[in-house]
């Protein structure tokens, strides 16, 4: 009977990977607050603390292997160079087919960070005054005035040659009249005398009221836009944003590409990306919202960078293992146990996180 129990125990430990000589290879990428590299070369963070607790309960030995990016972790899993990664990698359909994925332990979102635009009103006005959008509006306004002025000149040039002179110079007479009429200056130096000319003038006066109102609003908007900061509320706003950056081989890069949003720059890690944003090398940074919030605070960039309230693409965060891994059967129950314990909210609070 004792012999049978011993055989069963050895078989169970062999299946679960608890053998004394078994040392699990755990892949990580530094990604605060989930994986943090301490000054002494050790690691901390929500994922590390969770895994340490699980490994301790299971009596498992392990070694941590660091990778530069998520792509390196995925490749290492695919070639079975590591037994699992504890980074909270985004779960998607393709990865579910390629790997074993544990019970999610955290829910996050894609977030958006921008620079705080604290420029003077004069600086904002001058920058936008010389923008292409402003000149396009002004050019269209001049074109409309020129069209009405030309039409009136063609009608008046024979019966009113003193005010609407013949030849090319007469075109400028028509433009002058349409500009004076539209702005309601009313010099009176040029006025239509023919019946058709006066009808055209009435049409232009009514049209000018609507036109100048619309163009005034457009010009005012163009000259003052972004004076207080950037505002992104949906994907269309993001597409119309300026230089967008993200982190290489991340779920945020995948998200931007899937939504046809052009990426200006990709960075090796979130720290490099945030410093680029603070230096205005990019105007918008898209990345995991939890990581953005934590990193902005830790790097003391809150006075230069704002994390917007908008969120995209809810994402479940899990551990990943190679396909058909024997370890997922004992890791999953322990994850569920840990995240349901009373100590879990305290662990989240330790890293300024909250349960979704």
């Amino acid at each position: 009977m004792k012999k049978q129990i011993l055989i069963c125990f050895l078989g169970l430990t062999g299946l679960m990977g608890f053998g004394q000589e078994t040392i699990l290879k755990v892949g990580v990428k530094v990604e605060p607050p989930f994986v943090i590299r301490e000054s002494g070369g050790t690691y901390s963070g929500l994922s590390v603390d969770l895994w340490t607790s699980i490994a301790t309960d299971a009596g498992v030995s392990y070694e941590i292997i660091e990778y530069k990016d998520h792509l390196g972790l995925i490749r290492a899993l695919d070639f079975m160079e590591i037994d699992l990664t504890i980074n909270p990698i985004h779960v998607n359909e393709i990865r579910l087919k390629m790997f074993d994925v544990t019970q999610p332990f955290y829910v996050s979102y894609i977030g958006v960070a921008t620079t705080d635009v604290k420029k003077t009103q004069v600086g904002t006005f001058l920058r936008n005054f010389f923008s292409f959008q402003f000149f396009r509006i002004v050019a269209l306004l001049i074109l409309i005035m020129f069209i009405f002025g030309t039409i009136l000149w063609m009608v008046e040039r024979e019966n009113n040659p003193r005010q609407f002179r013949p030849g090319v110079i007469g075109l400028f007479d028509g433009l002058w009249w349409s500009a004076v009429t539209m702005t309601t200056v009313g010099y009176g130096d040029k006025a239509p005398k023919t019946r058709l000319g006066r009808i055209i003038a009435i049409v232009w006066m009514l049209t000018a009221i609507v036109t100048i109102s619309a163009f005034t609003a457009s010009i005012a908007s163009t000259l003052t836009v972004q004076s207080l900061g950037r505002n992104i509320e949906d994907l269309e706003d993001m597409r119309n944003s300026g230089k967008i950056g993200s982190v290489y081989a991340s779920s945020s890069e995948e998200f931007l590409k899937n939504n046809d949003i052009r990426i200006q720059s990709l960075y090796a890690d979130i720290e490099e990306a945030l410093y680029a944003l603070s230096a205005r090398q990019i105007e918008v940074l898209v990345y995991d919202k939890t990581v953005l919030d934590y990193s902005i605070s830790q790097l003391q960039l809150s006075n230069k960078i704002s994390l917007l309230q908008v969120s995209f693409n809810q994402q479940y965060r899990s551990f990943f293992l190679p396909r058909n891994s024997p370890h997922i059967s004992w890791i999953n129950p322990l994850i569920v146990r840990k995240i349901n314990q009373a100590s879990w909210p305290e662990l989240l609070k330790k890293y300024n996180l909250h349960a979704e």
Side-chain angles (χ1 to χ4, degrees):
M1 184 66 178
K2 292 182 178 179
K3 184 177 181 181
Q4 289 177 341
I5 294 174
L6 179 61
I7 291 174
C8 290
F9 176 75
L10 291 175
L12 182 62
T13 55
L15 176 63
M16 298 172 67
F18 290 172
Q20 293 182 351
E21 296 182 357
T22 300
I23 299 178
L24 296 184
K25 295 181 179 179
V26 180
V28 300
K29 172 192 176 296
V30 174
E31 191 173 29
F34 297 102
V35 178
I36 304 169
R37 188 197 302 115
E38 303 292 351
S39 57
T42 58
Y43 296 90
S44 63
L46 180 66
S47 295
V48 176
D49 289 0
L50 174 60
W51 168 250
T52 300
S53 179
I54 290 172
T56 300
D57 285 2
V60 173
S61 298
Y62 63 93
E63 63 173 323
I64 291 180
I65 303 174
E66 184 178 327
Y67 291 83
K68 293 182 178 180
D69 51 51
H70 287 140
L71 187 59
L73 287 173
I74 297 298
R75 286 174 176 171
L77 284 171
D78 194 27
F79 288 99
M80 297 185 179
E81 296 172 358
I82 56 177
D83 294 294
L84 77 156
T85 174
I86 59 174
N87 272 78
I89 299 177
H90 168 47
V91 179
N92 59 31
E93 183 179 357
I94 296 176
R95 289 169 184 169
L96 279 173
K97 293 178 180 179
M98 291 178 61
F99 307 109
D100 284 342
V101 180
T102 68
Q103 164 74 27
F105 62 90
Y106 194 78
V107 179
S108 187
Y109 301 85
I110 296 292
V112 181
T114 66
T115 52
D116 280 336
V117 184
K118 296 181 178 178
K119 298 182 179 180
T120 64
Q121 291 294 329
V122 173
T124 301
F125 179 86
L126 291 176
R127 185 181 68 256
N128 290 315
F129 184 85
F130 293 101
S131 67
F132 173 76
Q133 185 178 1
F134 175 75
F135 281 112
R136 185 175 60 181
I137 292 173
V138 174
L140 184 59
L141 181 60
I142 293 174
L143 177 62
I144 294 175
M145 290 190 302
F146 187 78
I147 290 173
F148 272 91
T150 300
I151 293 173
L152 188 74
W153 169 74
M154 292 176 66
V155 172
E156 292 288 317
R157 59 182 176 174
E158 293 183 359
N159 299 310
N160 192 5
R162 288 189 177 181
Q163 294 185 19
F164 296 94
R165 292 166 289 182
V168 176
I169 195 172
L171 294 174
F172 292 98
D173 292 335
L175 178 62
W176 172 256
W177 168 84
S178 63
V180 168
T181 303
M182 183 188 68
T183 56
T184 66
V185 173
Y187 286 122
D189 57 336
K190 298 186 185 300
K193 292 182 178 181
T194 65
R195 182 177 300 175
L196 180 57
R198 289 174 178 176
I199 292 174
I200 293 172
I202 293 173
V203 172
W204 171 236
M205 291 174 192
L206 296 175
T207 302
I209 293 174
V210 177
T211 302
I212 198 63
S213 298
F215 275 90
T216 299
S218 298
I219 291 172
S221 175
T222 301
L223 292 178
T224 60
V225 68
Q226 296 180 349
S227 61
L228 299 178
R230 254 172 267 283
N231 185 27
I232 297 176
E233 297 181 350
D234 52 34
L235 290 176
E236 192 60 33
D237 289 339
M238 197 180 298
R239 291 189 184 96
N240 295 329
S241 298
K243 300 176 181 178
I244 296 178
S246 188
V247 176
Y248 173 70
S250 64
S251 58
S252 55
E253 179 191 359
E254 178 185 354
F255 167 77
L256 291 170
K257 290 181 177 179
N258 289 341
N259 287 281
D260 299 320
I261 299 175
R262 184 175 179 271
I263 304 173
Q264 174 74 23
S265 303
L266 288 171
Y267 300 92
D269 53 48
I270 187 61
E271 183 174 335
E272 181 184 352
L274 284 171
Y275 281 128
L277 179 62
S278 66
R280 302 186 188 279
Q281 296 172 11
I282 53 175
E283 298 175 0
V284 177
L285 176 59
V286 180
Y287 197 59
D288 181 274
K289 193 169 188 176
T290 302
V291 178
L292 280 172
D293 190 22
Y294 183 88
S295 300
I296 290 171
S297 175
Q298 291 298 305
L299 296 174
Q300 299 181 347
L301 294 173
S302 301
N303 61 330
K304 295 182 179 180
I305 295 175
S306 293
L307 180 60
L308 304 184
Q309 294 297 317
V310 65
S311 298
F312 299 98
N313 196 25
Q314 179 175 310
Q315 300 181 336
Y316 294 94
R317 303 299 185 172
S318 304
F319 295 164
F320 278 67
L321 300 89
R323 195 67 175 167
N324 301 318
S325 170
H327 306 297
I328 194 168
S329 60
W330 60 266
I331 292 177
N332 258 336
L334 290 175
I335 289 179
V336 174
R337 182 197 300 174
K338 295 297 179 182
I339 64 178
N340 283 291
Q341 288 178 344
S343 58
W344 179 246
E346 291 299 319
L347 183 58
L348 292 174
K349 186 178 179 180
K350 175 182 175 182
Y351 296 103
N352 296 321
L353 302 176
H354 57 87
E356 295 294 335

